[in-house]
Amino acid sequence: MTFSICVRERGAAGYRFGVAAAARVPAVGSVCPHVSDAGAVAVAGVTDADAGRRLLDAVAGGDRVADAMAATGDPRTQRHGVGVDSAGAHTGADCRPVAAGRVGDGYTVAGTSLAEEGVLDALAQGYRENERDAPLVRRLITALAAGARAGGDDRDLPVGSAAVAVRTGTSEPLYHDLRVDAAETPVADLRETYRRAKHGYDAAVDRYTENS
């Protein structure tokens, strides 16, 4: 039960894929967001930790994302994502309302237990219209923050979580795969985790470059 975004962009080394998710339960990053060189998917509702991997394996094997989404059938599960040449979103009939998903130009957004469908508009707008020259991982966190401000996951629960993952087709810096598993303000904490992780990674690269 989440709000999430999946993205495909063309970069210098080919396609890059990213996914970010947040929820008012712990450890959303262990189940919902999945990314590979073939695409990015998010799964929510009543699901299992292997569902995203199975979807990405199907896409890597040649299935279109939209077809893979439609073939995975539990009515309590929501799934959405992007591949190289397609995108798709499916919300099972028994997902907890407000539940919806949308397909845009190179991205998908979806959620269950939403405050309102406007959360999806905020997610999409947060991705499309902010920090276009910034790294994708940072822009995905910005999109999550926009969704959270619009109401996000509407459940009145004390602990939430957030996660982001990006694949660019090159050697990934460690801050491209980050999780906050239990926090009162998970999206804000994820942004701070990204800031600290990037600073620490850059400092380590500088140190070892100087000593090489």
Side-chain angles (χ1 to χ4, degrees):
M1 298 175 181
T2 67
F3 56 103
S4 54
I5 179 169
C6 297
V7 169
R8 175 190 66 239
E9 295 182 345
R10 186 179 287 278
Y15 285 104
R16 54 179 174 248
F17 297 99
V19 55
R24 289 312 305 179
V25 292
V28 69
S30 68
V31 178
C32 175
H34 301 267
V35 67
S36 74
D37 292 332
V41 301
V43 293
V46 178
T47 188
D48 64 82
D50 289 331
R53 178 189 56 78
R54 292 195 300 269
L55 285 167
L56 286 176
D57 285 348
V59 173
D63 288 358
R64 289 172 57 83
V65 167
D67 296 335
M69 298 295 170
T72 310
D74 191 328
R76 302 171 298 169
T77 299
Q78 182 182 76
R79 48 210 177 266
H80 67 105
V82 292
V84 169
D85 59 359
S86 68
H90 177 85
T91 298
D94 294 339
C95 285
R96 180 174 174 140
V98 173
R102 299 176 186 171
V103 177
D105 183 10
Y107 69 89
T108 58
V109 292
T112 69
S113 296
L114 297 173
E116 57 177 77
E117 285 199 35
V119 173
L120 302 184
D121 297 327
L123 266 174
Q125 185 175 3
Y127 163 66
R128 293 194 313 263
E129 298 183 9
N130 290 290
E131 304 177 313
R132 296 304 300 176
D133 295 328
L136 177 56
V137 61
R138 192 171 98 183
R139 289 186 283 125
L140 289 171
I141 296 171
T142 295
L144 280 187
R149 287 193 299 271
D153 180 333
D154 194 37
R155 290 169 295 171
D156 184 18
L157 294 171
V159 172
S161 57
V164 63
V166 168
R167 292 287 288 271
T168 64
T170 61
S171 178
E172 305 299 330
L174 300 179
Y175 57 82
H176 274 192
D177 189 352
L178 299 172
R179 288 169 47 176
V180 171
D181 281 340
E184 293 182 6
T185 55
V187 176
D189 290 5
L190 183 65
R191 186 185 293 279
E192 177 64 9
T193 298
Y194 164 74
R195 186 190 70 79
R196 289 173 176 263
K198 186 176 187 306
H199 173 73
Y201 180 86
D202 290 345
V205 169
D206 289 344
R207 173 70 59 84
Y208 288 114
T209 299
E210 291 170 1
N211 294 335
S212 62

